[in-house]
Amino acid sequence: MVGFGLAYGGAGAVFWTSLARVASSWVISPVLGALVSFLVYKCIRRFVYSARNPGQAAAAAAPIAVFLGVTGISFAAFPLSKSFPIALAQALGCGAVGAVLVYNLIRKQLGHLLEKSASSHSEPQESNTQTKNLGLLSDVAGPKGTQLEIVYGVFGYMQVLSACFMSFAHGGNDVSNAIGPLAGALSILQGGASSAEIVIPNDVLAWGGFGIVAGLLIWGYRVIATIGKKITELTPTRGFAAEFAAASVVLFASKLALPISATHTLVGAVMGVGFARGLNSVRAETVREIVTSWAVTIPVGASLA
């Protein structure tokens, strides 16, 4: 966009204030993603890993996380009423339904393990450390054996939902970035250049959705491998913390009409989970390559345009 503006009308054709606002989000979004994921993962370690029965704690925490996520999406993206109290009540209702469904799913799929963990006293080493003097940032030992199997099983299901949450937020922001120039051009062709409101045909939105899915199918596996394996070691709990945090930040930014990068945010969130385990848990070489690629794409994109 900047390169085209410079070629068409020189420096005066670019709205530099708006550009500065966008560029600042490229720095702020990964920092926010890292901070939120750091806190989410620390909460998991504090309130799940250090619980007397980590498996039961994970099963109890899962519906709460789903309730918060579904309520947030319902209220931010699908306001069912123009009245704030009614919209809030409806969003809370949607969140409650989601929480009940996840609770029943976990009990159905992992109920035998939960019963075993509740009734068994043959594995004292699986019990938690004393939580009396533990703070949010205190490091605690993770569960083992059956307890670890339950925790990873619960957060394995949770990661499916958090990945959907992240994909929803990603589509709400990055596809909008791609459709933005097309929507602006169509608005001018339709004689609405002076209007701040742009009406986008549904078929244009469908093409944007098709494009992001096609890109995922063809090239997505390479980015999946980088974010999933090369930044830090991820487990179901760490992956959930990163995705849930990144999706929350991106959805909030979309609500404020900030065109941040979901990829920037998610990479920052994955780094935040790594930092929660120690600075040495993040592969600095991979992070340098990613940050360098971010910086290079800006002048290269402008030059090509």
Side-chain angles (χ1 to χ4, degrees):
M1 294 293 288
V2 173
F4 160 75
L6 292 173
Y8 173 73
V14 179
F15 303 143
W16 296 104
T17 302
S18 298
L19 178 62
R21 182 165 167 255
V22 173
S24 65
S25 74
W26 298 337
V27 178
I28 295 171
S29 58
V31 172
L32 281 178
L35 178 61
V36 176
S37 69
F38 180 92
L39 293 176
V40 171
Y41 185 60
K42 282 296 185 181
C43 285
I44 293 174
R45 294 188 67 86
R46 171 62 181 83
F47 297 108
V48 175
Y49 281 13
S50 64
R52 293 186 63 84
N53 190 319
Q56 295 285 354
I64 296 175
V66 171
F67 173 78
L68 295 175
V70 174
T71 299
I73 290 178
S74 300
F75 184 73
F78 304 112
L80 304 178
S81 173
K82 294 183 179 181
S83 172
F84 175 81
I86 297 177
L88 180 59
Q90 291 172 332
L92 291 172
C94 292
V97 171
V100 170
L101 292 176
V102 168
Y103 175 83
N104 291 333
L105 174 65
I106 290 174
R107 293 293 169 179
K108 180 180 179 180
Q109 299 295 331
L110 302 172
H112 62 291
L113 292 176
L114 290 169
E115 291 176 4
K116 179 180 177 182
S117 69
S119 60
S120 175
H121 300 282
S122 60
E123 297 179 290
Q125 70 274 14
E126 295 183 21
S127 63
N128 67 318
T129 54
Q130 292 296 322
T131 61
K132 183 177 180 181
N133 296 318
L134 284 178
L136 179 62
L137 300 182
S138 300
D139 199 13
V140 295
K144 300 177 182 178
T146 303
Q147 295 286 0
L148 182 63
E149 184 179 356
I150 296 173
V151 171
Y152 280 4
V154 169
F155 279 96
Y157 287 113
M158 292 299 295
Q159 254 206 285
V160 174
L161 297 176
S162 65
C164 292
F165 185 18
M166 183 64 214
S167 296
F168 173 84
H170 193 169
N173 199 285
D174 283 33
V175 175
S176 304
N177 292 346
I179 295 299
L182 177 58
L186 287 175
S187 176
I188 292 175
L189 288 174
Q190 295 165 359
S194 60
S195 174
E197 187 72 24
I198 297 178
V199 179
I200 308 169
N202 289 332
D203 57 337
V204 173
L205 295 177
W207 278 113
F210 170 78
I212 197 169
V213 173
L216 171 64
L217 288 172
I218 297 171
W219 288 111
Y221 71 94
R222 298 170 68 91
V223 180
I224 291 171
T226 298
I227 295 179
K229 295 182 177 180
K230 296 181 180 180
I231 297 177
T232 189
E233 182 182 356
L234 292 177
T235 62
T237 51
R238 298 167 196 161
F240 168 79
E243 289 174 337
F244 186 82
S248 300
V249 171
V250 173
L251 189 65
F252 181 73
S254 296
K255 190 65 176 176
L256 297 179
L258 295 176
I260 68 172
S261 169
T263 307
H264 284 55
T265 309
L266 184 57
V267 168
V270 172
M271 290 172 59
V273 170
F275 290 146
R277 300 166 50 228
L279 294 178
N280 293 332
S281 298
V282 177
R283 297 185 179 92
E285 181 180 354
T286 301
V287 174
R288 280 197 300 269
E289 291 177 356
I290 292 173
V291 174
T292 300
S293 70
W294 288 348
V296 167
T297 55
I298 300 168
V300 169
S303 299
L304 289 176

